[in-house]
Amino acid sequence: MTGHAPSSFAALLRGWTRLALAEGGGPAPVVEALGQTGPRSALTQCRAVVTLAHVGRLAGDPELVAAALRVQGFVAAHMTDGGVIATVAEDGTPVDTRRRSYDQCFALLALAELNAVDPVATPETELDALCGFVEAELLDSTGVLRDDDGPETGRRAQNPQMHMLEALFAAYQATGNEVWLTRAEQRIAIAERHFIDPATGAVREFIGADLLPLPGPEGARREPGHQYEWAWLLHRYADLSGDDAPRSLARRMQQFADTHGVRRGGPLDGAPFDALDAEGRVTEDTHLLWPLTEAGKLYAQLGDPAAQRMAELIFDRYFTPGALRWVNQLDGNGTVTWDAALSRLLYHVAYFVTEGDRAGLWRLTGPDGQPGAQDHIAPSSIKEEETPCN
């Protein structure tokens, strides 16, 4: 790798925090992208807490943990009303007061990561309260998460179901309380019953509110990144529970994505495409950053050397060497097609990097338990992002 590498990610994250978070010690939000002003979303703020707490805990980095607590303080003070609301102004004034299921998943994941750091400062009762809100306000009569607490949308999306599963695993690992694993089992059962296409084993992006397949392109949409992400979670469930049955679901998802959803040849060789149809035909041949991290997480989890290839693509192609700069999407030739260093993307990279560290593919920290000397990014080399967030 010619620029950043997984082992330098904690240093990159520290540099980003110093630009993305206002100076001081009190509650404050991070920016949606460096150089951007405007409303703050629950998705970005909660993902920032997750990223900073997760990497800070595993790297033994108190600066990152302190930053996570500052952002969580802002979320608690200005974005929490039973569940978290979608967006607020920079000063915390509510803008969009919908409580979206997707956002609640990351709010719960943030609390779980903070509980893992300090269970006294962030007690399990806070996780219970948020989960209680979700179960009371956002589940339909079948137990499937609706999009939000507003009017019926006529569809159900797999994404909040998946990220709720991720948050429940984190809550279980942080607290050791079996109730979180039981809730996770219910999410897996719902996915198998309603979202997994029995013909291919692939996860549908959307189904109808009646839980039946949707017609047209929306119903046929399959995203390789989500096949890898679900597979990673199902293997993780098997590791946590001792129940290997979901591994067969994970293998079919990976097989679908590996067979149909990966570019072969060229500068982006090995990168997952953004979208396929139900038959596995490519419908979007571009490459967002996040699907590479999800493929990389699964490969690292399984000990597949393809994880190293994902790391090379991510840090050589999407990140700018020696600078706090990354892009969101490339085409098959490596040309930038979405030039935005979105703050929320760091969550995806963080979990890939720490999964690779856990698998022994690279080191998150130096030999003394602190970020290594090779991880330093000179302050003079840090460039602010000026591209508006899309």
Side-chain angles (χ1 to χ4, degrees), residues 243-259:
D243 177 5
D244 284 337
R247 293 194 197 273
S248 62
L249 301 175
R251 285 191 287 267
R252 291 195 74 197
M253 293 170 189
Q254 182 181 358
Q255 182 180 27
F256 181 84
D258 283 349
T259 300

Side-chain angles (χ1 to χ4, degrees), residues 181-221:
L181 200 57
T182 299
R183 287 176 169 137
E185 291 165 358
Q186 295 166 355
R187 294 294 107 201
I188 293 171
I190 284 170
E192 185 173 12
R193 189 177 308 123
H194 303 299
F195 286 93
I196 297 175
D197 182 350
T200 62
V203 179
R204 303 177 173 104
E205 286 299 312
F206 304 105
I207 60 175
D210 57 5
L211 308 186
L212 296 175
L214 284 173
E218 189 175 44
R221 186 179 179 86

Side-chain angles (χ1 to χ4, degrees), residues 186-377:
Q186 295 166 355
R187 294 294 107 201
I188 293 171
I190 284 170
E192 185 173 12
R193 189 177 308 123
H194 303 299
F195 286 93
I196 297 175
D197 182 350
T200 62
V203 179
R204 303 177 173 104
E205 286 299 312
F206 304 105
I207 60 175
D210 57 5
L211 308 186
L212 296 175
L214 284 173
E218 189 175 44
R221 186 179 179 86
R222 309 287 187 267
E223 295 187 12
H226 285 144
Q227 312 308 315
Y228 291 120
E229 196 165 7
W230 267 104
W232 175 71
L233 287 167
L234 292 172
H235 283 300
R236 190 172 165 194
Y237 169 77
D239 291 339
L240 292 173
S241 68
D243 177 5
D244 284 337
R247 293 194 197 273
S248 62
L249 301 175
R251 285 191 287 267
R252 291 195 74 197
M253 293 170 189
Q254 182 181 358
Q255 182 180 27
F256 181 84
D258 283 349
T259 300
H260 303 290
V262 175
R263 183 176 292 278
R264 302 300 179 192
L268 271 290
D269 180 52
F273 292 113
D274 287 342
L276 313 172
D277 68 12
E279 305 302 318
R281 292 181 290 259
V282 178
T283 57
E284 295 176 18
D285 65 355
T286 46
H287 302 280
L288 288 163
L289 169 59
W290 72 262
L292 279 76
T293 69
E294 300 312 317
K297 281 187 337 194
L298 177 63
Y299 295 147
Q301 182 188 56
L302 298 178
D304 188 325
Q308 291 283 7
R309 174 59 178 164
M310 291 302 103
E312 292 169 4
L313 286 173
I314 289 166
F315 288 101
D316 287 353
R317 293 283 179 177
Y318 289 81
F319 281 78
T320 300
L324 281 174
R325 182 74 176 81
W326 58 93
V327 299
N328 191 27
Q329 188 183 60
L330 304 174
D331 68 13
N333 294 317
T335 302
V336 176
T337 51
W338 188 349
D339 183 11
L342 304 176
S343 298
R344 65 178 185 263
L345 295 177
L346 294 173
Y347 144 79
H348 289 285
V349 183
Y351 274 74
F352 169 50
V353 167
T354 57
E355 186 68 38
D357 175 74
R358 190 184 67 82
L361 299 178
W362 45 70
R363 299 282 304 275
L364 180 62
T365 58
D368 60 354
Q370 297 300 317
Q374 76 278 10
D375 297 344
H376 179 66
I377 301 175

